[in-house]
Amino acid sequence: MKLDLHYNLEQLHVNTLPYAAYFIPKPQQHNTSVTQLSGNWNFGFFNSVAEFEASRHKVTQTLPVPSVWNLHGFDQTQYVNIKYPIPFDPPYVPEDNPCGYYERNFTIDSIYDNDHQFVLNFDGVSSAYYVWINNTFIGYSQVSRIASRFDVTSFVQEGDNTIQVLVVKYSDGTYFEDQDMFRHSGIFRDVYIVERPNNRIEDYTIQTTVDTAVQTGTVHLDVTQVNGKPDYTVALLDQEGGVITEQKGTNEDVLVLNVEDAVFWSAETPYLYTLVITTADEVITEQVGLREVEIKDQQLWINGKSVKLRGANYHDSNPETGYVLTEAQMHEDLTLMKQANFNAIRTAHYPKAPRFYELADEYGFYVMSEADLETHGVVLFYGDENTKDFNIIADDPQYEAPILDRIEASIVPLRNFSSIIMWSLGNESGYGVNIEKAAELAKDLDATRPVHYESAFYAEGGEDFSKLDMISRMYPSPEEIKERYLDNQNITQPFILCEYAHAMGNSPGGLLEYHELLEAYPSFIGAFVWEWCDHAVNISQDEAQPVFRYGGDFGEDLHDGNFCVDGIVSPDRTPHEGYYEFQQVNRPVILSHYDKQTLTFYNRLDFIDANEVLQLRFTITTLSGEQYEEYADLTGFEPHTEISVELQTFIDEAILNQISDILVEYISLKDQTILGHDQIVQERLEFETVTEHEAAYQVSVDDTAHTIHISGENSDYAFDTRTASLTHVTQAGKLVLHEPTAIRIWRAPTDNDINIRKQWEEMGYEHAHTRVYDYSIVESEGGVSIQFQISIVHKRVPKILTGTLTWLVHADGKIEADLELEKNARMPFLPRLGLEFKLSNDYQKLAYYGHGPFSSYDDKQLASHLGYFVSTVNDNFWPHIRPQEDGSHNNTTHVTLNNTTTQVAFNAETPFSFNAKPYSDAQLTTVEHADQLHLDGYTYVNIDVGQSGIGTNSCGPELPERYRMDDAEYHLNFTLQFNTLS
Ligand code: GAL
């Protein structure tokens, strides 16, 4: 036969069964009716279909199924975002079309009499495939992430059989699967054969309704298709296995099962009833949550409660297995999501394997299940991204059938899962008649769930969400959302952010502003972070030490670099700091107000009393630095109510008058994890480090060496008159600082600095240096002061900053640094501004009183709180997969760094931002991968007025002005001490 189906839009599938609900019945008399075909297959890889056809030796080795062949040494590994990896030439694909030939033996032991059926299931294959059984062609299918089923009854025989599958990398389906991800290929989900008896149920839908007023529910079971004449009983069981109701049905039938004293399903209360459908030969078991979804009054209602979706976009991605997500991986992901207080998942950008939906039902997540459809590449045909070409596929009648096929394939098999609360028609496929029809089809297939789609703007401009149940956008700024949608009286639909807070690298900043709107506006029904996990490939053989690679690292000519490394957890699911930002912003309980000794908390949960899931841990720090810890259970803390706590009921009056801060943490009763916190700071702690008094200082200036020496009894300091640096410090005869200090405005650019970075580089911020014009030395009883008149300059450009740096050597040996600078208003905003100290890297022990334990920037500090934290310099820095700025802590007034003999202490009255890390910004600016960083023997300490915020400009809006370091004047003042440790 000619292998030409994969470039023929008229033949999307050959010999596949109609789409039907996903279920695997259990035979009455046997353990299973399933022949599992996952496992090792014989495999051969070919560079083209022609090469495959010419080959006499089809297989060369074994390959596990499920897997992607790219991560087993075959073919190119490629990451590309928007651009099509092949010429846009539908339905054709390149002649050089990599393909994989799979073959294996299997045994069939029939368990039924002759009138039976064998159904071969493929749950996911990328991108199209031909199937033979016992060397007879049985069919062809495509659409990578949907289940295809073949009736193979007349092809299999009892006993030994073989199955052969040819998978092609590119097909006409490739034009509809242009999602932003690694473009892997292969059989990446399960393959199995299910044997069915003659009298059988083929398809059914389950729908539920609830009556919250009287606490009843109904399960509507509509058996829509049967074979033969099945009689069946249907029983509904509660979680204890008690039968609530039982009914009988025959053939196609509609049964309505009523539940009194119903327990409703929600993400917070994932109570599942069991529906058991029993025929003479089989038992079909379904988990059913009683729930009803509705869009009304511009809000999303679940069981009569207006609900907010706190969501994550969840790709199938694993650093070792690519598209293959094991069940263990799903458990880990869902557990981590729960711990970060997420209640919703968007299956970006395709349906997941059935097991995921079963787990989402059990764990309790509101799922937006998306169709396997993205045609984003059309916007880049003629250069810059634009929407004028976005309808090339969406409006062309020849693509209607493949688009509608994808919608049907993504809804019909999955519509009995309770967790799915809305359908998404796909991602970034433009808008036109085909998508309008897709929306209609989704409604026809399932009238009980709202329909979502984001790119509802026509090529000629203008949004049109009229066929959809909500307005959806990705990455607008909070200001735009407010003005254009939330405050717009002409809009009657709710608003949802299907993507925001692009979590690439050190990210996301600015979450709070989005969440203030989410809380404030009932019509703002939810937001989904982009995205759950970083995509990268682990190329390390050492399990303990992963080495991650991203786009371009595999020699691809077309790639999008590290744009796939944009999750709130690492490829191996180590939470990033961004994960904790979400945990905090999603916390179930918040401190709503505080008045003297009364703390009032609000329960943001919709269905359960907060005290059923968490308790409050109060940590009270007194002004003398003592800490008291108390727990409180707030009994009867009902959803959407407030409760007040009087501190004196459990804390001594004497302590209450001495409070520095109160930290309240919300502790999960289930696993003791911290789900978030609130903090009240009354007065900061002060840190005094005792210093020895110097008798007097001697000041000497060496003009030829450009040095000013200040020496006391115990200490010796040197300053450079050309750079205004403190160049040497000797303390008790020991050299503690042997590298000059420098004023720094550069930070190692974060991924979110991607755009502003160009301006920073243009203005020479990285290599800007200090120019000294003049200096003056003033000696007094209090000490010696040297004031430098300076500017910060770089070749080619005007002065960036102008002002003074004053070093005041106090009589007690302390050095005070005082930096006063005016910024040239025409220069771009600064990454940071402050002084850098280069210590030897034996200064490892770090302690600080500031915002921690996470890196904290003015727009990315939700997870942190004010506290005294002890760490090490190495641990303070997180090497992002592409290295960048990390480890700064704002709102700090005290930092110490110790080696075994000496302590360097920084103190200030006005809080500063600091960083202490083992790598220079210069190294972090250039190195492309974390594993390529090298320790150069130094500890780099920066004491900054501040840093610009983090934002999400790698894909989101520009950094808001209020977070930019763009003031007219800056002032930094702190002291520096060198203490000998006994
Ligand atoms: C969106 C897209 C996502 C991803 C993201 C950037 O436009 O829907 O799939 O590409 O941008 O990481």
Side-chain angles (χ1 to χ4, degrees), residues 105 178 410 429 507 543 613 934:
N105 299 329
D178 194 33
S410 69
S429 300
S507 193
E543 260 181 42
V613 285
H934 67 275

Side-chain angles (χ1 to χ4, degrees), residues 416-462:
N416 294 334
F417 287 105
S418 308
S419 51
I420 299 175
I421 60 146
M422 57 176 77
W423 302 112
S424 175
L425 303 177
N427 188 53
E428 296 181 316
S429 300
Y431 206 61
V433 283
N434 297 334
I435 306 287
E436 289 177 341
K437 287 187 180 164
E440 282 161 15
L441 177 62
K443 283 283 175 205
D444 287 349
L445 294 171
D446 181 3
T448 70
R449 290 176 174 100
V451 174
H452 162 274
Y453 181 66
E454 186 269 347
S455 305
F457 27 90
Y458 291 108
E460 60 273 19

Side-chain angles (χ1 to χ4, degrees), residues 448-519:
T448 70
R449 290 176 174 100
V451 174
H452 162 274
Y453 181 66
E454 186 269 347
S455 305
F457 27 90
Y458 291 108
E460 60 273 19
E463 299 174 351
D464 177 7
F465 287 90
S466 58
K467 292 232 178 288
L468 302 158
D469 290 305
M470 62 207 78
I471 294 175
S472 176
R473 286 286 310 275
M474 49 172 78
Y475 310 111
S477 68
E479 291 74 20
E480 186 190 343
I481 296 172
K482 186 169 182 309
E483 232 181 270
R484 194 156 161 194
Y485 304 105
L486 303 178
D487 285 339
N488 183 344
Q489 303 302 324
N490 299 322
I491 284 180
T492 53
Q493 289 166 298
F495 177 79
I496 198 164
L497 271 181
C498 67
E499 293 178 30
Y500 79 124
H502 199 249
M504 189 176 177
N506 185 346
S507 193
L511 258 193
L512 188 61
E513 286 84 347
Y514 287 101
H515 279 255
E516 280 170 354
L517 294 179
L518 184 70
E519 304 306 332

Side-chain angles (χ1 to χ4, degrees), residues 86-107:
I86 54 172
F88 186 77
D89 182 23
Y92 301 104
V93 294
E95 288 277 297
D96 289 337
N97 187 6
C99 52
Y101 175 74
Y102 296 71
E103 116 193 332
R104 66 165 285 166
N105 299 329
F106 62 96
T107 313

Side-chain angles (χ1 to χ4, degrees), residues 698-771:
Q698 296 212 326
V699 180
S700 60
V701 179
D702 180 344
D703 275 332
T704 41
H706 309 288
T707 309
I708 304 168
H709 281 284
I710 300 182
S711 32
E713 205 175 310
N714 258 316
S715 30
D716 235 334
Y717 305 116
F719 298 88
D720 188 318
T721 58
R722 292 165 311 175
T723 60
S725 310
L726 169 64
T727 51
H728 273 84
V729 174
T730 315
Q731 178 76 32
K734 275 214 185 69
L735 193 60
V736 288
L737 182 72
H738 41 93
E739 292 285 337
T741 63
I743 297 172
R744 293 275 184 237
I745 57 174
W746 183 250
R747 72 176 174 202
T750 66
D751 289 318
N752 288 316
D753 291 333
I754 185 165
N755 295 313
I756 186 67
R757 173 182 190 161
K758 292 179 198 109
Q759 290 181 47
W760 290 346
E761 280 168 347
E762 185 75 15
M763 294 300 120
Y765 281 9
E766 181 176 3
H767 305 290
H769 61 274
T770 306
R771 163 78 160 95

